[in-house]
Amino acid sequence: MPQYVGAIDSGTTSTRFMLFDVAGNVVAYDQREHRQIFPQSGWVEHDPLEIWERTREVIGATLAKARLTAADIAAVGVTNQRETTVIWSKRTGEPIHNAIVWQDTRTDQICRHLQEAGHAERLYYKTGLPVATYFAGPKIRWLLENVPGARKQAEAGELLFGTVDTWLVWQLTGGAHITDVTNASRTMLMNLETLDWDDELLGVLDIPRSLLPTIRPSSDPALYGKTRKDGPFQGEIPIGGALGDQHAATVGQTCFSAGEAKNTYGTGCFMLLNTGRDIVRSKNGLLTTVGYQFGDQAPIYALEGSIAMAGATVQWLRDSLQLISHAAETETLAQSVADSGGCYLVPAFSGLFAPHWRSDARGVIVGLTRYVNRAHIARAALESICYQTREVLDAMNADSGVLLQALKVDGGATANNFLMQLQADILGVEVIRPRVAETTSLGAAYAAGLAVGFWPNPESLRANWQVDRSWQPVIDEAARQTGFAGWKKAVTKTFDWVEG
């Protein structure tokens, strides 16, 4: 009898495959990076074929490490960087263009035209999303308008669209064209109430329905299909579901009750608050999204605060400024100074996401004096992650009417203990890190395992969640408010850098 569940976690910078046992423990994993392609300022691309190749590699490496075969795995789930857009040929499987990544801003003109045409309010009501370059719908339209022959092929039914979950499931199964409700809710094309593609929205964005995958529950007992015998698993394994990465982390953190929230620190930073079966439309710059859906149960909705630059800011310090050699250096470097020396770094490299939604914003470092050195800038970079999270939490408190008392955190950057203490200080609430920090992969595994009965129900998963460490705020309220006031002033300096 299979004793493990697998999760393919295809993120913005890397792909991993992880195996979990029934207690939610990591049995084995492998992880490999893929290229970040920057054709011009504001453009970010990935090679879909490279992502698929990395997926094959990590599956093979993980099975080899654990000395397991397909027969040992009860089910596989998929989680992915959301909004990143792939279009490929139905006949050949070849992408018509590199994937356009969620951070990419090339659709700014398309979004501006949608706003000027008066579509923003209707789009927001139906989808819970503002008109922004972040989402997949405008990226699809850009590809159809800018890749030679794409529009004609799409209208002839010769092309397929998918976010990365859809692309990988199509490859793994040999042709299942499927997505889940969480990824579909990030396209600007799915109606939050019907959980289906909306004809009015398709008309506004001028996208043929034939391009789009079938929308299924995040955890689906009917299954997405089975892996191909000649694929990387070398056997047939049920694919039990998929979740966008932030929704998967919500499931992995077992935030199954209304009012529970988590924050994931990855390339970006994403806070989700479970609002139960209620669609709560934000008045404070947050997104309304599907949190998850298990089988034939009603969907669970969430409010989300999306931040484009978190771990990617540290990556920028390393790769572009070369202030550090390794990301882990920021912890020691930042602790070597008492504060940021009066400087603030606002990493609006792809504009500002929640709660501002300013595509015209660009990054700034303000408050510089001769006193400021690289340690101060490293500390300001870490503080930027925490201050952006504070802005989102304030918006979430205002929308929900509930003051969050503690924040569950996950993702790679939570290994930085100093960052977590900064986060507790800047928020003024307890920050809690679970024993399994990579809850995105765990959530995908849970979705797949629930679909095949490996776990009996969502509530049974709560026993797997264990605290690794927590942090209490140690600075006083006056210092907290002074620092935040400086941050808000710095944010205003990022506006209006890109002309319309």
Side-chain angles (χ1 to χ4, degrees), residues 313-314 316-317 321 323-324 330 333-334 336-337 339-346 364-369 371-384:
T313 305
V314 175
W316 175 72
L317 294 182
L321 296 191
L323 290 184
I324 54 174
T330 56
L333 197 57
S336 71
V337 290
D339 51 41
S340 61
C343 79
Y344 290 87
L345 190 166
V346 186
V364 300
I365 303 176
V366 298
L368 293 175
T369 64
Y371 169 71
V372 171
N373 59 36
R374 73 188 187 106
H376 295 110
I377 292 174
R379 182 165 178 140
L382 296 184
E383 288 179 350
S384 76

PDB file of all heavy atoms in Angstrom, residues 313-314 316-317 321 323-324 330 333-334 336-337 339-346 364-369 371-384:
ATOM      1  N   THR A 313      14.041  40.929  -3.250  1.00  0.00           N
ATOM      2  CA  THR A 313      14.827  42.112  -2.875  1.00  0.00           C
ATOM      3  C   THR A 313      16.214  41.690  -2.391  1.00  0.00           C
ATOM      4  O   THR A 313      17.228  42.311  -2.743  1.00  0.00           O
ATOM      5  CB  THR A 313      14.103  42.906  -1.774  1.00  0.00           C
ATOM      6  OG1 THR A 313      12.785  43.221  -2.218  1.00  0.00           O
ATOM      7  CG2 THR A 313      14.844  44.187  -1.446  1.00  0.00           C
ATOM      8  N   VAL A 314      16.263  40.632  -1.603  1.00  0.00           N
ATOM      9  CA  VAL A 314      17.552  40.100  -1.149  1.00  0.00           C
ATOM     10  C   VAL A 314      18.345  39.565  -2.339  1.00  0.00           C
ATOM     11  O   VAL A 314      19.566  39.757  -2.428  1.00  0.00           O
ATOM     12  CB  VAL A 314      17.325  39.003  -0.086  1.00  0.00           C
ATOM     13  CG1 VAL A 314      18.645  38.345   0.317  1.00  0.00           C
ATOM     14  CG2 VAL A 314      16.620  39.591   1.139  1.00  0.00           C
ATOM     15  N   TRP A 316      18.213  40.710  -5.292  1.00  0.00           N
ATOM     16  CA  TRP A 316      18.715  41.913  -5.976  1.00  0.00           C
ATOM     17  C   TRP A 316      19.983  42.435  -5.302  1.00  0.00           C
ATOM     18  O   TRP A 316      20.937  42.815  -5.982  1.00  0.00           O
ATOM     19  CB  TRP A 316      17.608  42.972  -5.973  1.00  0.00           C
ATOM     20  CG  TRP A 316      17.994  44.302  -6.537  1.00  0.00           C
ATOM     21  CD1 TRP A 316      18.207  44.614  -7.847  1.00  0.00           C
ATOM     22  CD2 TRP A 316      18.198  45.520  -5.805  1.00  0.00           C
ATOM     23  NE1 TRP A 316      18.527  45.955  -7.976  1.00  0.00           N
ATOM     24  CE2 TRP A 316      18.526  46.531  -6.737  1.00  0.00           C
ATOM     25  CE3 TRP A 316      18.113  45.849  -4.451  1.00  0.00           C
ATOM     26  CZ2 TRP A 316      18.784  47.837  -6.349  1.00  0.00           C
ATOM     27  CZ3 TRP A 316      18.367  47.155  -4.073  1.00  0.00           C
ATOM     28  CH2 TRP A 316      18.702  48.137  -5.006  1.00  0.00           C
ATOM     29  N   LEU A 317      19.999  42.440  -3.965  1.00  0.00           N
ATOM     30  CA  LEU A 317      21.222  42.843  -3.255  1.00  0.00           C
ATOM     31  C   LEU A 317      22.395  41.954  -3.638  1.00  0.00           C
ATOM     32  O   LEU A 317      23.528  42.415  -3.776  1.00  0.00           O
ATOM     33  CB  LEU A 317      21.013  42.749  -1.733  1.00  0.00           C
ATOM     34  CG  LEU A 317      20.021  43.693  -1.064  1.00  0.00           C
ATOM     35  CD1 LEU A 317      20.031  43.450   0.443  1.00  0.00           C
ATOM     36  CD2 LEU A 317      20.341  45.148  -1.361  1.00  0.00           C
ATOM     37  N   LEU A 321      23.420  44.325  -7.077  1.00  0.00           N
ATOM     38  CA  LEU A 321      24.301  45.250  -6.365  1.00  0.00           C
ATOM     39  C   LEU A 321      25.565  44.572  -5.863  1.00  0.00           C
ATOM     40  O   LEU A 321      26.555  45.240  -5.573  1.00  0.00           O
ATOM     41  CB  LEU A 321      23.574  45.881  -5.177  1.00  0.00           C
ATOM     42  CG  LEU A 321      22.374  46.777  -5.485  1.00  0.00           C
ATOM     43  CD1 LEU A 321      21.959  47.531  -4.229  1.00  0.00           C
ATOM     44  CD2 LEU A 321      22.669  47.746  -6.617  1.00  0.00           C
ATOM     45  N   LEU A 323      26.142  43.337  -3.005  1.00  0.00           N
ATOM     46  CA  LEU A 323      26.461  43.743  -1.638  1.00  0.00           C
ATOM     47  C   LEU A 323      26.681  42.531  -0.735  1.00  0.00           C
ATOM     48  O   LEU A 323      27.303  42.650   0.322  1.00  0.00           O
ATOM     49  CB  LEU A 323      25.330  44.594  -1.052  1.00  0.00           C
ATOM     50  CG  LEU A 323      25.131  45.995  -1.623  1.00  0.00           C
ATOM     51  CD1 LEU A 323      24.032  46.714  -0.859  1.00  0.00           C
ATOM     52  CD2 LEU A 323      26.414  46.793  -1.570  1.00  0.00           C
ATOM     53  N   ILE A 324      26.134  41.387  -1.153  1.00  0.00           N
ATOM     54  CA  ILE A 324      26.290  40.146  -0.389  1.00  0.00           C
ATOM     55  C   ILE A 324      26.610  39.018  -1.369  1.00  0.00           C
ATOM     56  O   ILE A 324      26.365  39.142  -2.574  1.00  0.00           O
ATOM     57  CB  ILE A 324      25.011  39.791   0.403  1.00  0.00           C
ATOM     58  CG1 ILE A 324      23.789  39.738  -0.533  1.00  0.00           C
ATOM     59  CG2 ILE A 324      24.776  40.779   1.533  1.00  0.00           C
ATOM     60  CD1 ILE A 324      22.509  39.259   0.107  1.00  0.00           C
ATOM     61  N   THR A 330      22.472  38.410   4.929  1.00  0.00           N
ATOM     62  CA  THR A 330      21.704  39.585   5.350  1.00  0.00           C
ATOM     63  C   THR A 330      21.413  39.550   6.844  1.00  0.00           C
ATOM     64  O   THR A 330      21.334  40.600   7.483  1.00  0.00           O
ATOM     65  CB  THR A 330      20.375  39.684   4.581  1.00  0.00           C
ATOM     66  OG1 THR A 330      19.632  38.468   4.744  1.00  0.00           O
ATOM     67  CG2 THR A 330      20.613  39.950   3.104  1.00  0.00           C
ATOM     68  N   LEU A 333      24.634  40.652   8.658  1.00  0.00           N
ATOM     69  CA  LEU A 333      24.939  42.029   8.266  1.00  0.00           C
ATOM     70  C   LEU A 333      23.954  43.005   8.896  1.00  0.00           C
ATOM     71  O   LEU A 333      24.344  44.039   9.458  1.00  0.00           O
ATOM     72  CB  LEU A 333      24.897  42.125   6.732  1.00  0.00           C
ATOM     73  CG  LEU A 333      25.560  43.330   6.058  1.00  0.00           C
ATOM     74  CD1 LEU A 333      27.027  43.436   6.443  1.00  0.00           C
ATOM     75  CD2 LEU A 333      25.429  43.203   4.530  1.00  0.00           C
ATOM     76  N   ALA A 334      22.673  42.686   8.823  1.00  0.00           N
ATOM     77  CA  ALA A 334      21.649  43.571   9.378  1.00  0.00           C
ATOM     78  C   ALA A 334      21.766  43.691  10.896  1.00  0.00           C
ATOM     79  O   ALA A 334      21.492  44.753  11.469  1.00  0.00           O
ATOM     80  CB  ALA A 334      20.261  43.074   8.994  1.00  0.00           C
ATOM     81  N   SER A 336      24.441  43.721  12.529  1.00  0.00           N
ATOM     82  CA  SER A 336      25.676  44.419  12.904  1.00  0.00           C
ATOM     83  C   SER A 336      25.454  45.913  13.133  1.00  0.00           C
ATOM     84  O   SER A 336      26.354  46.607  13.590  1.00  0.00           O
ATOM     85  CB  SER A 336      26.743  44.215  11.828  1.00  0.00           C
ATOM     86  OG  SER A 336      26.426  44.928  10.639  1.00  0.00           O
ATOM     87  N   VAL A 337      24.271  46.415  12.812  1.00  0.00           N
ATOM     88  CA  VAL A 337      23.939  47.822  13.040  1.00  0.00           C
ATOM     89  C   VAL A 337      22.668  47.899  13.883  1.00  0.00           C
ATOM     90  O   VAL A 337      21.838  46.988  13.869  1.00  0.00           O
ATOM     91  CB  VAL A 337      23.743  48.590  11.707  1.00  0.00           C
ATOM     92  CG1 VAL A 337      25.082  48.752  10.993  1.00  0.00           C
ATOM     93  CG2 VAL A 337      22.745  47.890  10.783  1.00  0.00           C
ATOM     94  N   ASP A 339      20.178  50.035  13.653  1.00  0.00           N
ATOM     95  CA  ASP A 339      18.988  50.371  12.864  1.00  0.00           C
ATOM     96  C   ASP A 339      19.434  50.581  11.426  1.00  0.00           C
ATOM     97  O   ASP A 339      20.591  50.300  11.084  1.00  0.00           O
ATOM     98  CB  ASP A 339      18.290  51.618  13.427  1.00  0.00           C
ATOM     99  CG  ASP A 339      19.242  52.787  13.617  1.00  0.00           C
ATOM    100  OD1 ASP A 339      20.107  53.000  12.731  1.00  0.00           O
ATOM    101  OD2 ASP A 339      19.131  53.486  14.646  1.00  0.00           O
ATOM    102  N   SER A 340      18.545  51.086  10.596  1.00  0.00           N
ATOM    103  CA  SER A 340      18.891  51.276   9.177  1.00  0.00           C
ATOM    104  C   SER A 340      19.535  52.631   8.901  1.00  0.00           C
ATOM    105  O   SER A 340      19.669  53.009   7.731  1.00  0.00           O
ATOM    106  CB  SER A 340      17.639  51.098   8.305  1.00  0.00           C
ATOM    107  OG  SER A 340      16.662  52.066   8.650  1.00  0.00           O
ATOM    108  N   GLY A 341      19.925  53.335   9.936  1.00  0.00           N
ATOM    109  CA  GLY A 341      20.621  54.608   9.745  1.00  0.00           C
ATOM    110  C   GLY A 341      19.761  55.690   9.127  1.00  0.00           C
ATOM    111  O   GLY A 341      20.289  56.634   8.516  1.00  0.00           O
ATOM    112  N   GLY A 342      18.447  55.570   9.264  1.00  0.00           N
ATOM    113  CA  GLY A 342      17.537  56.577   8.717  1.00  0.00           C
ATOM    114  C   GLY A 342      17.177  56.369   7.269  1.00  0.00           C
ATOM    115  O   GLY A 342      16.447  57.180   6.685  1.00  0.00           O
ATOM    116  N   CYS A 343      17.665  55.289   6.650  1.00  0.00           N
ATOM    117  CA  CYS A 343      17.329  55.080   5.233  1.00  0.00           C
ATOM    118  C   CYS A 343      16.220  54.039   5.100  1.00  0.00           C
ATOM    119  O   CYS A 343      16.051  53.163   5.955  1.00  0.00           O
ATOM    120  CB  CYS A 343      18.559  54.687   4.419  1.00  0.00           C
ATOM    121  SG  CYS A 343      19.064  52.974   4.553  1.00  0.00           S
ATOM    122  N   TYR A 344      15.448  54.162   4.035  1.00  0.00           N
ATOM    123  CA  TYR A 344      14.387  53.216   3.692  1.00  0.00           C
ATOM    124  C   TYR A 344      14.600  52.772   2.254  1.00  0.00           C
ATOM    125  O   TYR A 344      14.922  53.590   1.380  1.00  0.00           O
ATOM    126  CB  TYR A 344      13.003  53.862   3.797  1.00  0.00           C
ATOM    127  CG  TYR A 344      12.565  54.175   5.204  1.00  0.00           C
ATOM    128  CD1 TYR A 344      12.912  55.381   5.812  1.00  0.00           C
ATOM    129  CD2 TYR A 344      11.784  53.278   5.928  1.00  0.00           C
ATOM    130  CE1 TYR A 344      12.504  55.688   7.107  1.00  0.00           C
ATOM    131  CE2 TYR A 344      11.360  53.563   7.218  1.00  0.00           C
ATOM    132  CZ  TYR A 344      11.732  54.770   7.806  1.00  0.00           C
ATOM    133  OH  TYR A 344      11.322  55.057   9.087  1.00  0.00           O
ATOM    134  N   LEU A 345      14.415  51.482   2.009  1.00  0.00           N
ATOM    135  CA  LEU A 345      14.462  50.921   0.659  1.00  0.00           C
ATOM    136  C   LEU A 345      13.050  50.457   0.311  1.00  0.00           C
ATOM    137  O   LEU A 345      12.494  49.601   0.997  1.00  0.00           O
ATOM    138  CB  LEU A 345      15.452  49.753   0.620  1.00  0.00           C
ATOM    139  CG  LEU A 345      15.851  49.154  -0.737  1.00  0.00           C
ATOM    140  CD1 LEU A 345      17.083  48.271  -0.560  1.00  0.00           C
ATOM    141  CD2 LEU A 345      14.750  48.325  -1.384  1.00  0.00           C
ATOM    142  N   VAL A 346      12.481  51.025  -0.739  1.00  0.00           N
ATOM    143  CA  VAL A 346      11.145  50.618  -1.188  1.00  0.00           C
ATOM    144  C   VAL A 346      11.323  49.899  -2.531  1.00  0.00           C
ATOM    145  O   VAL A 346      11.582  50.536  -3.554  1.00  0.00           O
ATOM    146  CB  VAL A 346      10.186  51.814  -1.337  1.00  0.00           C
ATOM    147  CG1 VAL A 346       8.778  51.323  -1.661  1.00  0.00           C
ATOM    148  CG2 VAL A 346      10.177  52.667  -0.076  1.00  0.00           C
ATOM    149  N   VAL A 364      13.023  52.933  -4.814  1.00  0.00           N
ATOM    150  CA  VAL A 364      13.832  54.050  -4.324  1.00  0.00           C
ATOM    151  C   VAL A 364      14.561  53.644  -3.042  1.00  0.00           C
ATOM    152  O   VAL A 364      14.127  52.755  -2.315  1.00  0.00           O
ATOM    153  CB  VAL A 364      12.980  55.309  -4.016  1.00  0.00           C
ATOM    154  CG1 VAL A 364      12.253  55.805  -5.257  1.00  0.00           C
ATOM    155  CG2 VAL A 364      11.983  55.047  -2.891  1.00  0.00           C
ATOM    156  N   ILE A 365      15.692  54.290  -2.812  1.00  0.00           N
ATOM    157  CA  ILE A 365      16.330  54.289  -1.494  1.00  0.00           C
ATOM    158  C   ILE A 365      16.387  55.750  -1.067  1.00  0.00           C
ATOM    159  O   ILE A 365      16.936  56.588  -1.789  1.00  0.00           O
ATOM    160  CB  ILE A 365      17.747  53.687  -1.520  1.00  0.00           C
ATOM    161  CG1 ILE A 365      17.723  52.272  -2.081  1.00  0.00           C
ATOM    162  CG2 ILE A 365      18.348  53.676  -0.113  1.00  0.00           C
ATOM    163  CD1 ILE A 365      19.107  51.636  -2.218  1.00  0.00           C
ATOM    164  N   VAL A 366      15.784  56.067   0.074  1.00  0.00           N
ATOM    165  CA  VAL A 366      15.720  57.460   0.535  1.00  0.00           C
ATOM    166  C   VAL A 366      16.361  57.572   1.916  1.00  0.00           C
ATOM    167  O   VAL A 366      16.562  56.579   2.616  1.00  0.00           O
ATOM    168  CB  VAL A 366      14.258  57.963   0.594  1.00  0.00           C
ATOM    169  CG1 VAL A 366      13.627  57.938  -0.783  1.00  0.00           C
ATOM    170  CG2 VAL A 366      13.425  57.128   1.561  1.00  0.00           C
ATOM    171  N   GLY A 367      16.673  58.819   2.290  1.00  0.00           N
ATOM    172  CA  GLY A 367      17.240  59.068   3.604  1.00  0.00           C
ATOM    173  C   GLY A 367      18.723  58.780   3.690  1.00  0.00           C
ATOM    174  O   GLY A 367      19.271  58.573   4.789  1.00  0.00           O
ATOM    175  N   LEU A 368      19.405  58.760   2.551  1.00  0.00           N
ATOM    176  CA  LEU A 368      20.836  58.441   2.548  1.00  0.00           C
ATOM    177  C   LEU A 368      21.684  59.585   3.080  1.00  0.00           C
ATOM    178  O   LEU A 368      21.452  60.749   2.759  1.00  0.00           O
ATOM    179  CB  LEU A 368      21.294  58.099   1.127  1.00  0.00           C
ATOM    180  CG  LEU A 368      20.746  56.814   0.502  1.00  0.00           C
ATOM    181  CD1 LEU A 368      21.196  56.700  -0.950  1.00  0.00           C
ATOM    182  CD2 LEU A 368      21.211  55.603   1.295  1.00  0.00           C
ATOM    183  N   THR A 369      22.668  59.237   3.882  1.00  0.00           N
ATOM    184  CA  THR A 369      23.717  60.155   4.316  1.00  0.00           C
ATOM    185  C   THR A 369      25.050  59.431   4.174  1.00  0.00           C
ATOM    186  O   THR A 369      25.091  58.221   3.891  1.00  0.00           O
ATOM    187  CB  THR A 369      23.533  60.576   5.787  1.00  0.00           C
ATOM    188  OG1 THR A 369      23.666  59.407   6.611  1.00  0.00           O
ATOM    189  CG2 THR A 369      22.164  61.205   6.018  1.00  0.00           C
ATOM    190  N   TYR A 371      26.810  58.503   6.472  1.00  0.00           N
ATOM    191  CA  TYR A 371      26.870  57.520   7.572  1.00  0.00           C
ATOM    192  C   TYR A 371      26.405  56.143   7.131  1.00  0.00           C
ATOM    193  O   TYR A 371      26.867  55.123   7.638  1.00  0.00           O
ATOM    194  CB  TYR A 371      25.987  58.034   8.722  1.00  0.00           C
ATOM    195  CG  TYR A 371      25.730  57.045   9.826  1.00  0.00           C
ATOM    196  CD1 TYR A 371      26.749  56.671  10.712  1.00  0.00           C
ATOM    197  CD2 TYR A 371      24.463  56.491  10.006  1.00  0.00           C
ATOM    198  CE1 TYR A 371      26.502  55.766  11.731  1.00  0.00           C
ATOM    199  CE2 TYR A 371      24.209  55.585  11.018  1.00  0.00           C
ATOM    200  CZ  TYR A 371      25.234  55.221  11.881  1.00  0.00           C
ATOM    201  OH  TYR A 371      24.998  54.325  12.886  1.00  0.00           O
ATOM    202  N   VAL A 372      25.507  56.086   6.148  1.00  0.00           N
ATOM    203  CA  VAL A 372      24.884  54.826   5.745  1.00  0.00           C
ATOM    204  C   VAL A 372      25.886  53.944   4.998  1.00  0.00           C
ATOM    205  O   VAL A 372      26.572  54.400   4.077  1.00  0.00           O
ATOM    206  CB  VAL A 372      23.647  55.098   4.862  1.00  0.00           C
ATOM    207  CG1 VAL A 372      23.121  53.805   4.262  1.00  0.00           C
ATOM    208  CG2 VAL A 372      22.564  55.792   5.676  1.00  0.00           C
ATOM    209  N   ASN A 373      25.958  52.663   5.397  1.00  0.00           N
ATOM    210  CA  ASN A 373      26.836  51.714   4.727  1.00  0.00           C
ATOM    211  C   ASN A 373      26.022  50.498   4.260  1.00  0.00           C
ATOM    212  O   ASN A 373      24.792  50.469   4.388  1.00  0.00           O
ATOM    213  CB  ASN A 373      27.992  51.287   5.642  1.00  0.00           C
ATOM    214  CG  ASN A 373      27.513  50.644   6.941  1.00  0.00           C
ATOM    215  OD1 ASN A 373      26.516  49.926   6.960  1.00  0.00           O
ATOM    216  ND2 ASN A 373      28.226  50.898   8.037  1.00  0.00           N
ATOM    217  N   ARG A 374      26.702  49.484   3.750  1.00  0.00           N
ATOM    218  CA  ARG A 374      25.983  48.344   3.173  1.00  0.00           C
ATOM    219  C   ARG A 374      25.181  47.572   4.221  1.00  0.00           C
ATOM    220  O   ARG A 374      24.145  46.975   3.896  1.00  0.00           O
ATOM    221  CB  ARG A 374      26.936  47.413   2.426  1.00  0.00           C
ATOM    222  CG  ARG A 374      27.852  46.565   3.274  1.00  0.00           C
ATOM    223  CD  ARG A 374      28.874  45.827   2.421  1.00  0.00           C
ATOM    224  NE  ARG A 374      29.644  44.892   3.236  1.00  0.00           N
ATOM    225  CZ  ARG A 374      29.482  43.566   3.207  1.00  0.00           C
ATOM    226  NH1 ARG A 374      28.580  43.028   2.413  1.00  0.00           N
ATOM    227  NH2 ARG A 374      30.217  42.783   3.968  1.00  0.00           N
ATOM    228  N   ALA A 375      25.612  47.612   5.465  1.00  0.00           N
ATOM    229  CA  ALA A 375      24.851  46.942   6.527  1.00  0.00           C
ATOM    230  C   ALA A 375      23.509  47.631   6.745  1.00  0.00           C
ATOM    231  O   ALA A 375      22.484  46.974   6.948  1.00  0.00           O
ATOM    232  CB  ALA A 375      25.658  46.921   7.818  1.00  0.00           C
ATOM    233  N   HIS A 376      23.515  48.971   6.695  1.00  0.00           N
ATOM    234  CA  HIS A 376      22.264  49.714   6.844  1.00  0.00           C
ATOM    235  C   HIS A 376      21.308  49.403   5.678  1.00  0.00           C
ATOM    236  O   HIS A 376      20.093  49.249   5.876  1.00  0.00           O
ATOM    237  CB  HIS A 376      22.522  51.219   6.905  1.00  0.00           C
ATOM    238  CG  HIS A 376      23.289  51.649   8.115  1.00  0.00           C
ATOM    239  ND1 HIS A 376      24.578  52.104   8.043  1.00  0.00           N
ATOM    240  CD2 HIS A 376      22.946  51.688   9.428  1.00  0.00           C
ATOM    241  CE1 HIS A 376      24.991  52.417   9.260  1.00  0.00           C
ATOM    242  NE2 HIS A 376      24.033  52.172  10.128  1.00  0.00           N
ATOM    243  N   ILE A 377      21.868  49.306   4.457  1.00  0.00           N
ATOM    244  CA  ILE A 377      21.022  49.017   3.290  1.00  0.00           C
ATOM    245  C   ILE A 377      20.475  47.597   3.376  1.00  0.00           C
ATOM    246  O   ILE A 377      19.308  47.341   3.049  1.00  0.00           O
ATOM    247  CB  ILE A 377      21.812  49.249   1.988  1.00  0.00           C
ATOM    248  CG1 ILE A 377      22.093  50.757   1.834  1.00  0.00           C
ATOM    249  CG2 ILE A 377      21.055  48.719   0.777  1.00  0.00           C
ATOM    250  CD1 ILE A 377      22.989  51.116   0.669  1.00  0.00           C
ATOM    251  N   ALA A 378      21.301  46.652   3.840  1.00  0.00           N
ATOM    252  CA  ALA A 378      20.820  45.278   4.021  1.00  0.00           C
ATOM    253  C   ALA A 378      19.690  45.237   5.037  1.00  0.00           C
ATOM    254  O   ALA A 378      18.677  44.551   4.848  1.00  0.00           O
ATOM    255  CB  ALA A 378      21.963  44.374   4.466  1.00  0.00           C
ATOM    256  N   ARG A 379      19.847  45.999   6.124  1.00  0.00           N
ATOM    257  CA  ARG A 379      18.784  46.036   7.135  1.00  0.00           C
ATOM    258  C   ARG A 379      17.521  46.699   6.568  1.00  0.00           C
ATOM    259  O   ARG A 379      16.404  46.240   6.817  1.00  0.00           O
ATOM    260  CB  ARG A 379      19.262  46.768   8.377  1.00  0.00           C
ATOM    261  CG  ARG A 379      18.209  46.783   9.484  1.00  0.00           C
ATOM    262  CD  ARG A 379      18.790  47.170  10.805  1.00  0.00           C
ATOM    263  NE  ARG A 379      17.758  47.216  11.844  1.00  0.00           N
ATOM    264  CZ  ARG A 379      17.919  46.785  13.085  1.00  0.00           C
ATOM    265  NH1 ARG A 379      19.069  46.259  13.466  1.00  0.00           N
ATOM    266  NH2 ARG A 379      16.932  46.872  13.958  1.00  0.00           N
ATOM    267  N   ALA A 380      17.712  47.766   5.805  1.00  0.00           N
ATOM    268  CA  ALA A 380      16.557  48.443   5.191  1.00  0.00           C
ATOM    269  C   ALA A 380      15.831  47.505   4.233  1.00  0.00           C
ATOM    270  O   ALA A 380      14.599  47.557   4.106  1.00  0.00           O
ATOM    271  CB  ALA A 380      17.008  49.705   4.468  1.00  0.00           C
ATOM    272  N   ALA A 381      16.573  46.626   3.550  1.00  0.00           N
ATOM    273  CA  ALA A 381      15.953  45.661   2.642  1.00  0.00           C
ATOM    274  C   ALA A 381      15.065  44.686   3.421  1.00  0.00           C
ATOM    275  O   ALA A 381      13.940  44.386   3.009  1.00  0.00           O
ATOM    276  CB  ALA A 381      17.019  44.901   1.864  1.00  0.00           C
ATOM    277  N   LEU A 382      15.565  44.190   4.550  1.00  0.00           N
ATOM    278  CA  LEU A 382      14.756  43.300   5.370  1.00  0.00           C
ATOM    279  C   LEU A 382      13.555  44.038   5.957  1.00  0.00           C
ATOM    280  O   LEU A 382      12.441  43.505   5.997  1.00  0.00           O
ATOM    281  CB  LEU A 382      15.600  42.693   6.493  1.00  0.00           C
ATOM    282  CG  LEU A 382      16.750  41.779   6.082  1.00  0.00           C
ATOM    283  CD1 LEU A 382      17.422  41.180   7.311  1.00  0.00           C
ATOM    284  CD2 LEU A 382      16.279  40.672   5.151  1.00  0.00           C
ATOM    285  N   GLU A 383      13.777  45.274   6.405  1.00  0.00           N
ATOM    286  CA  GLU A 383      12.671  46.056   6.951  1.00  0.00           C
ATOM    287  C   GLU A 383      11.600  46.304   5.898  1.00  0.00           C
ATOM    288  O   GLU A 383      10.406  46.368   6.209  1.00  0.00           O
ATOM    289  CB  GLU A 383      13.190  47.379   7.501  1.00  0.00           C
ATOM    290  CG  GLU A 383      13.996  47.221   8.791  1.00  0.00           C
ATOM    291  CD  GLU A 383      14.521  48.540   9.322  1.00  0.00           C
ATOM    292  OE1 GLU A 383      14.424  49.568   8.594  1.00  0.00           O
ATOM    293  OE2 GLU A 383      15.047  48.559  10.448  1.00  0.00           O
ATOM    294  N   SER A 384      12.008  46.430   4.618  1.00  0.00           N
ATOM    295  CA  SER A 384      11.027  46.681   3.560  1.00  0.00           C
ATOM    296  C   SER A 384      10.025  45.535   3.455  1.00  0.00           C
ATOM    297  O   SER A 384       8.845  45.753   3.175  1.00  0.00           O
ATOM    298  CB  SER A 384      11.733  46.893   2.211  1.00  0.00           C
ATOM    299  OG  SER A 384      12.195  45.671   1.651  1.00  0.00           O
TER     300      SER A 384
END
